[in-house]
Amino acid sequence: MDIGKKLKQVRKARGLSQRELAARAGLTNGTISLIEQNKTSPSVASLKSLLDAIPMSIAEFFTTIEESGSAKYFYRADEFTEIAPLGDAGGVSLRQLGNAMTHTLQLLDETYPKGADTGPELLCHAGEEAGIVISGQIEITVENQVRVLGPGEGYLFDSRLPHRFRNPGDVPCKVISACTPPTF
Amino acid sequence: MDIGKKLKQVRKARGLSQRELAARAGLTNGTISLIEQNKTSPSVASLKSLLDAIPMSIAEFFTTIEESGSAKYFYRADEFTEIAPLGDAGGVSLRQLGNAMTHTLQLLDETYPKGADTGPELLCHAGEEAGIVISGQIEITVENQVRVLGPGEGYLFDSRLPHRFRNPGDVPCKVISACTPPTF
DNA sequence: AACATGTGATCAGGATTTTAAACGCCATTT
DNA sequence: AAATGGCGTTTAAAATCCTGATCACATGTT
């Protein structure tokens, strides 16, 4: 976990000196020097100040820092991260594999409880999306087409088309889906 | 940037008390209390210790904190088209949703019979791929990492890395996977 | 050559985090 | 009801981070 090396790297990439960055971040050059030599572990507050001045998000900083170690390819079931759907959609669960920020492909484990609905305000975002129903039933509206899909059935369309998901059945519906690029 | 709230959230999600987490992380309960109340900004070293004990990567922690006419969209189960894997891989079944040629996203319903193996001639092609195991077990090799995944577990990696799939179990393994761009 | 300016590194001291122990609260047990 | 044990919070002291000044070195200017 070589924070110093990474900080130096992003600072240099911006063509900033320790003093310049320090001034922008409201810290001192000495602090940056110590951090870059890993002689101190900065507080999150300090690191955030520095990255705000770069600028770079803390998440991006750490995703690229952790990649330089042993890359992460595999995920336990509990490592899927729950993400929030756009607007509350009646208890829909969207569990995303990994950290989509750093990838062009997003895989989701979706669960639509009985009656769940992404709402009539049809969604719109760039990319393509596809999925397959594992269990239960899901009613999907794309553009002017509506269809109810059951286990083993799938969908594939351009995400820019207005679309909507709704569970018309009495049991939860589970869907594995993929999007490209990530949209949330 | 409410680190305290987020830390409390992930700690609770794991069902850990401040003391339990402190013990695992090599810190004290008081520290965690102060952090969760945002009365101090933890050093990155401390935060990493805490997240290692959760466990959760720092990157993941911060990504979730910062807050037609007759187009074909739907597919019956029998409309998935069987495609051939590169070389015979011991009876692997790859069933593709739709005609990937016209899309940037490819969704596959894969079945690996007992003993199936994509072979030691590790695959290499452009794009990213991800998947989730529905049933059975699959051993996946990516670069120099090997891992056996079971139901609910997933993978996500750059397809240019050499990789290999093998079913080491006694029952068929079913995987839903996505690739971008299509590679077969 | 002497000077000015820029770089990153170092050091004592002040500021902040972290510890270790005590505190108050609530629930369960004796 | 008193005692026990778990919870999160608080507090003084120890450990660590951060500052402000200084140092050594490099580069370019007069």
Side-chain angles (χ1 to χ4, degrees):
Chain A
M1 184 75 153
D2 194 341
I3 289 182
K5 181 178 173 187
K6 177 65 183 173
L7 176 60
K8 185 170 188 172
Q9 184 181 316
V10 301
R11 176 175 63 78
K12 291 284 189 185
R14 287 279 166 174
L16 295 171
S17 70
Q18 291 181 345
R19 276 167 227 269
E20 283 172 324
L21 178 57
R24 294 194 195 186
L27 297 176
T28 64
N29 62 305
T31 301
I32 295 177
S33 178
L34 293 173
I35 294 172
E36 290 187 350
Q37 299 169 80
N38 289 314
K39 290 193 174 176
T40 147
S41 172
S43 71
V44 171
S46 298
L47 182 60
K48 172 149 178 51
S49 298
L50 290 170
L51 294 180
D52 282 348
I54 291 289
M56 171 181 278
S57 78
I58 297 198
E60 185 180 350
F61 183 82
F62 283 110
T63 49
T64 52
I65 205 179
E66 288 175 346
E67 274 173 4
S68 57
S70 171
K72 183 164 185 61
Y73 301 135
F74 309 116
Y75 300 84
R76 298 189 309 275
D78 64 8
E79 284 182 308
F80 282 68
T81 61
E82 187 75 25
I83 62 179
L86 278 53
D88 183 36
V92 179
S93 160
L94 299 179
R95 299 176 57 248
Q96 173 183 282
L97 184 148
N99 175 4
M101 304 285 285
T102 57
H103 298 280
T104 63
L105 179 60
Q106 178 187 42
L107 191 76
L108 296 175
D109 178 349
E110 311 182 349
T111 304
Y112 296 83
K114 166 186 174 182
D117 191 344
T118 58
E121 75 296 343
L122 298 152
L123 308 171
C124 256
H125 40 84
E128 276 194 335
E129 59 190 276
I132 179 171
V133 177
I134 302 300
S135 63
Q137 294 206 320
I138 191 83
E139 176 201 271
I140 306 180
T141 307
V142 180
E143 226 175 358
N144 56 350
Q145 297 182 35
V146 183
R147 173 89 165 257
V148 175
L149 301 181
E153 300 186 312
Y155 61 90
L156 170 58
F157 55 83
D158 188 315
S159 300
R160 284 168 304 198
L161 298 169
H163 52 284
R164 170 183 186 174
F165 290 70
R166 194 172 73 85
N167 180 354
D170 287 332
V171 299
C173 177
K174 180 168 176 174
V175 175
I176 303 297
S177 78
C179 305
T180 170
T183 55
F184 292 92
Chain B
M1 185 76 153
D2 195 341
I3 289 182
K5 182 178 173 188
K6 177 65 183 173
L7 176 60
K8 185 169 187 172
Q9 185 181 314
V10 300
R11 176 175 64 80
K12 291 284 188 185
R14 273 275 168 176
L16 295 171
S17 71
Q18 290 182 344
R19 277 168 227 269
E20 285 171 326
L21 178 57
R24 293 194 195 186
L27 297 176
T28 64
N29 61 305
T31 302
I32 295 176
S33 177
L34 294 173
I35 293 173
E36 289 188 349
Q37 299 170 81
N38 290 314
K39 290 191 174 176
T40 98
S41 173
S43 72
V44 170
S46 298
L47 183 60
K48 172 152 177 51
S49 297
L50 290 170
L51 294 179
D52 282 348
I54 291 289
M56 171 181 280
S57 78
I58 298 198
E60 183 180 350
F61 183 82
F62 283 108
T63 49
T64 52
I65 205 176
E66 286 173 310
E67 310 130 271
S68 92
S70 54
K72 183 163 184 60
Y73 301 136
F74 308 116
Y75 300 83
R76 296 189 311 276
D78 62 12
E79 286 182 307
F80 282 68
T81 60
E82 186 76 27
I83 61 179
L86 278 55
D88 183 37
V92 179
S93 160
L94 300 179
R95 300 176 56 248
Q96 175 183 280
L97 182 150
N99 175 6
M101 304 291 281
T102 56
H103 299 280
T104 63
L105 179 61
Q106 177 188 43
L107 192 77
L108 295 174
D109 178 349
E110 310 181 350
T111 303
Y112 296 83
K114 167 185 172 183
D117 191 344
T118 57
E121 76 296 341
L122 299 152
L123 309 170
C124 256
H125 40 84
E128 277 193 335
E129 60 189 276
I132 180 171
V133 177
I134 302 299
S135 63
Q137 294 206 319
I138 190 81
E139 175 200 271
I140 306 181
T141 306
V142 180
E143 222 173 3
N144 55 351
Q145 296 183 37
V146 185
R147 173 91 164 255
V148 176
L149 301 181
E153 300 186 312
Y155 61 90
L156 170 59
F157 55 82
D158 188 313
S159 301
R160 284 168 304 196
L161 298 169
H163 52 282
R164 172 183 185 174
F165 289 71
R166 194 173 72 84
N167 180 355
D170 287 332
V171 298
C173 177
K174 181 169 176 174
V175 175
I176 302 297
S177 79
C179 305
T180 170
T183 55
F184 292 93

